[in-house]
Amino acid sequence: MSKKIYDVAIIGCGPAGMTAAIYAARAGLNVLMLDKGAPGGQMINTYEVENYTGFDKISGPDLSMKMFDHTQKLAVNYEYGNVVGLEVESEVKVVKTDDEDYLAKAVIIATGTLNRRLGAKGEENLAGRGISWCAICDGAFFREKAVIVVGGGNSALEEALYLAGIAKKVTVVHRRQGFRADKIVLDRAQKHEKIQFELDAVIESFNEVNGKLGSVTIKNAITNEKKEIICDGAFIYIGQDPVTSMFKEDIKLNPQGYIIVNERMETNIKGVYAAGDVTEKELRQIITATNDGAIAAQNAVKYLETLA
Ligand code: NAP
């Protein structure tokens, strides 16, 4: 039996991928959506979203489920799959996963980004034993305990606020005085009685006590003075790296590994589009990801018409 050929395969089931699926399905295309995790991408690890139009406050998991339900109402095929490669030589592309190959005439890459590691001493060893990259998943382990949050962007400060509702004390460790976080979030964190700041501070090491994280050693970047902070948990929010290593042979990436697209979300390969955080862009938000997804799908529809 010959293998099924989808009109469009969407790799990644975050806001960009799910929106692309909705637009493509509504245009009558036969859509496959693949992901190796639960639908939602980074959204699912976000406690609260306050800047997605129409929702003044909604939890990341709730918004993820609403978007996913929307795709399922339109009968989008959703499959688990860890994508390891993409063959783009012929008109029908091959999306390769760990255990299956899928065929599609057009492909939309929406694989997003993964949380970055600090590379500090003790980090790998204590990952999952006090060190986490997801406050919403692991925050509850630190009820009435002391935790640190590393970073000065929106993620770090939003998750510090979330953790302040659980932990006894939250110390934000940031490598300089200025913050990338939005002012409204920064103001809220600075006013919170449970949140303290260590600025111009870099992590020297994560220190093990009785088989788990017991403290961190920080160093002042200006004075070189070292200090130990006793803590049970450490949450690292220092940005993300794009998930593109499996595409790098054929798809044009910028030096940081983000996919280069034009305003139609086209990559350098005909019939292959990219959308959301994985693309080279200035503003990575849920709303800009959905925007990209709609544009990518619309242009995939036009491309498929040229094949007919
Ligand atoms: P981000 O904005 O890139 O911030 C990363 C933070 O980590 C920066 O403060 C950076 O310091 C610090 N950092 C980076 N590498 C480091 C290292 N090796 N050691 C110590 N500190 C390091 O990342 P993000 O907070 O994850 O946000 C990513 C994107 O998502 C942003 O565009 C953000 O606005 C967006 N986002 C938006 C919302 C929202 O609007 N509600 C929520 C979450 C995320 P420097 O500042 O010194 O470089």
Side-chain angles (χ1 to χ4, degrees), residues 46 48-51 115-118 150-159 173-176 178-182 185 201-203 237-240 277 282-286:
T46 304
E48 245 163 23
V49 176
E50 293 184 1
N51 54 4
N115 293 325
R116 197 175 282 155
R117 299 291 201 258
L118 262 174
V150 188
N154 275 321
S155 299
L157 293 191
E158 286 185 1
E159 302 312 314
V173 178
H174 180 39
R175 65 182 176 185
R176 61 189 176 103
F179 289 85
R180 284 176 201 266
D182 294 344
V185 182
V202 293
I203 303 280
Y237 285 104
I238 59 160
Q240 289 91 24
D277 285 6
E282 204 166 287
L283 187 61
R284 293 192 172 83
Q285 299 276 298
I286 298 169

Side-chain angles (χ1 to χ4, degrees), residues 140-151:
F141 295 123
F142 302 98
R143 191 161 297 284
E144 288 305 310
K145 293 188 170 168
V147 300
I148 68 151
V149 172
V150 188

Side-chain angles (χ1 to χ4, degrees), residues 12-299:
C13 196
M18 291 197 278
T19 305
I22 289 164
Y23 274 72
R26 282 175 52 80
L29 301 187
N30 192 348
V31 184
L32 169 70
M33 197 164 66
L34 283 167
D35 204 301
K36 63 175 176 182
Q42 296 271 0
M43 239 180 355
I44 206 152
N45 297 328
T46 304
Y47 174 55
E48 245 163 23
V49 176
E50 293 184 1
N51 54 4
Y52 188 65
T53 311
F55 296 90
D56 60 344
K57 201 177 275 227
I58 183 165
S59 86
D62 281 354
L63 186 55
S64 303
M65 277 330 289
K66 277 185 189 296
M67 289 188 187
F68 183 66
D69 287 347
H70 195 165
T71 70
Q72 296 310 289
K73 281 186 183 136
L74 293 163
V76 168
N77 298 285
Y78 169 65
E79 299 279 350
Y80 169 84
N82 180 30
V83 174
V84 292
L86 176 64
E87 286 175 8
V88 294
E89 288 74 29
S90 49
E91 201 171 87
V92 174
K93 278 88 180 137
V94 185
V95 180
K96 303 179 88 64
T97 72
D98 274 343
D99 44 27
E100 201 167 338
D101 288 355
Y102 294 92
L103 307 181
K105 294 181 213 163
V107 173
I108 299 174
I109 301 172
T111 42
T113 56
L114 270 183
N115 293 325
R116 197 175 282 155
R117 299 291 201 258
L118 262 174
K121 198 172 152 220
E123 184 181 12
E124 284 310 315
N125 186 32
L126 292 167
R129 290 192 290 141
I131 302 181
S132 168
W133 286 261
C134 178
I136 197 167
C137 320
D138 300 325
F141 295 123
F142 302 98
R143 191 161 297 284
E144 288 305 310
K145 293 188 170 168
V147 300
I148 68 151
V149 172
V150 188
N154 275 321
S155 299
L157 293 191
E158 286 185 1
E159 302 312 314
L161 282 161
Y162 168 67
L163 287 163
I166 300 171
K168 184 169 69 184
K169 184 173 121 185
V170 179
T171 306
V172 175
V173 178
H174 180 39
R175 65 182 176 185
R176 61 189 176 103
Q177 293 281 332
F179 289 85
R180 284 176 201 266
D182 294 344
K183 191 177 177 308
I184 187 169
V185 182
L186 177 61
D187 283 351
R188 231 184 269 161
Q190 283 173 329
K191 283 186 192 133
H192 200 292
E193 54 178 12
K194 282 196 195 169
I195 302 180
Q196 300 178 351
F197 288 84
E198 289 285 350
L199 301 182
D200 292 325
V202 293
I203 303 280
E204 274 270 291
S205 62
F206 293 98
N207 310 318
E208 183 174 335
V209 175
N210 297 330
K212 46 193 180 114
L213 180 71
S215 71
V216 296
T217 305
I218 60 170
K219 186 170 93 173
N220 187 292
I222 294 159
T223 63
N224 281 337
E225 196 182 314
K226 290 188 188 175
K227 179 172 163 182
E228 189 180 3
I229 305 175
I230 306 293
C231 59
D232 302 283
F235 291 84
I236 302 174
Y237 285 104
I238 59 160
Q240 289 91 24
D241 291 315
V243 181
T244 51
S245 59
M246 61 287 223
F247 309 121
K248 66 174 190 277
E249 299 301 322
D250 296 294
I251 307 293
K252 202 165 172 200
L253 309 177
N254 77 3
Q256 290 74 43
Y258 290 93
I259 298 177
I260 298 171
V261 288
N262 62 16
E263 72 280 6
R264 291 185 293 279
M265 299 295 137
E266 292 166 333
T267 68
N268 57 307
I269 303 286
K270 230 175 158 41
V272 179
Y273 303 80
D277 285 6
V278 76
T279 63
E280 180 179 61
K281 60 180 352 199
E282 204 166 287
L283 187 61
R284 293 192 172 83
Q285 299 276 298
I286 298 169
I287 204 148
T288 59
T290 58
N291 167 70
D292 292 352
I295 294 170
Q298 190 60 24
N299 286 295

